Amino acid sequence: MNLRDRYDAATAGIEAPFAAVDLAAFRANAEGLLRRAAGKPIRVASKSVRCRALLEDVLAMDGFAGVMAFTLPEALWLASEGVSDDILVAYPTADRTAIAALAENEAAARTITLMVDSPEHLALIEDAAGDRRIRVCIDIDASYRPLGGRVRIGALRSALRTPAEVSAFAERILKRPSLDLVGLMAYESQIAGVGDVPPGRPARGRVIRAMQRQSRLELARRRAAIVRAVRDLTDLEFVNGGGTGSVEKTAAERAVTEVAAGSGLYQPHLFDQYSNFSGRPAALFALPVVRRPARGVATCLGGGYLASGPADAVRLPQPYLPTGLSYDPNEGAGEVQTPLLGHAADLLSVGDRVWFRHTKAGELCERFDALHLIEDGRYVRTVPTYRGEGRTFL
């Protein structure tokens, strides 16, 4: 039985559209991340999973430790549910209500660490938390700036870049008795989040790989110097870096104590464009064929689940099974219907399913309230996504 037949058989009693996770692929991807981390603990990026049950499953595996949350309300919820006793909020918060709730909850305040990179963050936290002690982590700019800084490659995150800037900011934190500086983070998006083998663009791939080599060298030296400068001032519990695309590279840096990863668990199609690792598609969604309007065309219900990021064709979900299907350029992935073209369309009948892969990982869970877990051609169980638990944090 081929993969599509196994998936169809395992979910025969479930009406499409629905989302599913292949547990064997999910676990294989987790084990692949652990091998690449080579003993460094992996903090799980919750935004790439957005399912509490699967977060708990992966955290139960040796080698995964802690959660990297994307909002403070999410972190408070995960802490209240006992998902982890070590939660780092990856992005600064301006949510005064949530900060006050954190300050009032002693257990959560010991569990959750807030991200900061400016004096405004410090003042806001102190104002909302009063004199209650709050754990904080400094976010460091990990972008690559060649040509004397005239070019910037990487995410627009922190304004803190040099050892002097970070240590000066650390000193400001240490002067505030209500704030505990416990960690540093630097996310190298130009390495971890950019595939180096873009399909059909070999020249661009060579440019990307050259940029990433130079960026890695520059960041490794700068990150090590920053860590030394801050450790001269205070002890640190952790130094976090990396992402799915750079796990083994970031873990190799002595200054880094842990790496972050999440997307590699689901292996969305954006992460097929890396030369240093390969994963198995684990998170999928199925749409029903509801029309056959012409020869070589099969129309599915729904499907307009575009990913965030720059508006380009890469943001479209990828028709996966059966193979050989493509979008109608005039309709793409539609809100209520998605026509698919190709010889494979003539093998589909009304009521059949087409299986898709999302461009990104956890964003799929914002479209569905449940994930149907399957393994070895059989249905295992159904678990709620964040949305299915009534939790929509962004």
Side-chain angles (χ1 to χ4, degrees):
M1 187 182 294
N2 63 36
L3 188 59
R4 179 190 170 209
D5 289 342
R6 291 203 301 272
Y7 287 160
D8 283 347
T11 58
I14 303 170
E15 293 293 343
F18 62 81
V21 170
D22 181 330
L23 286 178
F26 182 84
R27 294 191 190 106
N29 292 338
E31 290 165 0
L33 289 169
L34 291 172
R35 285 193 297 272
R36 293 170 60 206
K40 290 274 177 83
I42 299 176
R43 186 181 291 272
V44 184
S46 63
K47 78 175 183 65
S48 299
V49 180
R50 302 194 201 199
C51 171
R52 186 161 58 94
L54 290 180
L55 281 173
E56 291 170 344
D57 282 357
V58 75
L59 285 168
M61 298 178 66
D62 289 341
F64 289 93
V67 171
M68 179 175 282
F70 56 99
T71 70
L72 178 53
E74 179 210 14
L76 288 165
W77 175 60
L78 293 176
S80 72
E81 296 290 342
V83 171
S84 175
D85 61 2
D86 180 5
I87 303 174
L88 171 64
V89 182
Y91 305 89
T93 183
D95 189 332
R96 294 174 180 273
T97 301
I99 295 171
L102 173 65
E104 290 297 321
N105 186 327
E106 290 185 10
R110 292 192 299 269
T111 296
I112 295 170
T113 302
L114 301 185
M115 193 64 62
V116 294
D117 62 37
S118 73
E120 290 83 356
H121 295 149
L122 308 183
L124 191 152
I125 292 169
E126 285 193 320
D127 182 59
D131 59 357
R132 304 298 177 91
R133 298 187 71 84
I134 302 294
R135 294 162 53 88
V136 298
C137 170
I138 298 176
D139 194 4
I140 300 161
D141 174 30
S143 66
Y144 181 45
R145 299 191 187 181
L147 302 177
R150 293 190 295 275
V151 176
R152 179 190 180 115
I153 304 172
L156 290 162
R157 294 173 66 103
S158 172
L160 302 173
R161 181 172 181 81
T162 67
E165 290 169 343
V166 178
S167 61
F169 187 61
E171 287 181 327
R172 297 184 72 153
I173 295 172
L174 294 171
K175 291 176 181 177
R176 297 175 182 247
S178 62
L179 300 181
D180 290 329
L181 175 59
V182 297
L184 302 175
M185 186 186 85
Y187 172 56
E188 52 270 38
S189 65
Q190 70 278 8
I191 304 171
V194 178
D196 62 348
V197 282
R201 306 180 72 181
R204 178 175 173 81
R206 289 191 292 273
V207 171
I208 290 172
R209 288 190 290 276
M211 175 275 292
Q212 290 178 339
R213 282 193 297 271
Q214 294 303 313
S215 179
R216 279 201 310 274
L217 293 172
E218 184 277 330
L219 179 59
R221 288 192 291 264
R222 181 160 54 89
R223 181 154 41 198
I226 289 170
V227 171
R228 285 195 300 271
V230 176
R231 286 195 185 278
D232 283 344
L233 301 173
T234 188
D235 292 332
L236 293 172
E237 293 179 15
F238 64 86
V239 177
N240 180 279
T244 288
S246 69
V247 166
E248 70 281 4
K249 302 177 182 73
T250 308
E253 294 184 33
R254 294 179 64 182
V256 173
T257 66
E258 63 175 39
V259 292
S263 295
L265 295 167
Y266 286 165
Q267 189 63 20
H269 76 79
L270 188 65
F271 284 81
D272 292 346
Q273 301 178 20
Y274 289 79
S275 62
N276 55 313
F277 74 97
S278 61
R280 293 170 54 183
L284 310 166
F285 67 92
L287 301 181
V289 175
V290 293
R291 284 178 174 163
R292 287 296 319 279
R295 185 176 179 180
V297 183
T299 301
C300 292
L301 178 69
Y305 311 146
L306 277 65
S308 61
D312 56 27
V314 175
R315 306 297 143 181
L316 292 172
Q318 181 185 79
Y320 178 47
L321 299 171
T323 59
L325 294 171
S326 61
Y327 289 110
D328 179 336
N330 294 316
E331 294 198 43
E335 177 187 9
V336 291
Q337 72 166 33
T338 296
L340 296 171
L341 313 181
H343 294 302
D346 288 328
L347 303 176
L348 295 169
S349 301
V350 170
D352 286 346
R353 294 166 177 168
V354 177
W355 293 82
F356 291 77
R357 298 171 65 194
H358 203 272
T359 302
K360 290 193 170 182
E363 290 183 19
L364 172 64
C365 295
E366 297 299 334
R367 296 289 185 167
F368 295 94
D369 61 6
L371 296 174
H372 302 288
L373 308 184
I374 56 182
E375 187 168 17
D376 298 329
R378 62 185 179 86
Y379 166 83
V380 177
R381 62 185 173 124
T382 297
V383 294
T385 61
Y386 279 13
R387 174 178 170 175
E389 295 200 68
R391 306 288 175 166
T392 51
F393 298 106
L394 284 177

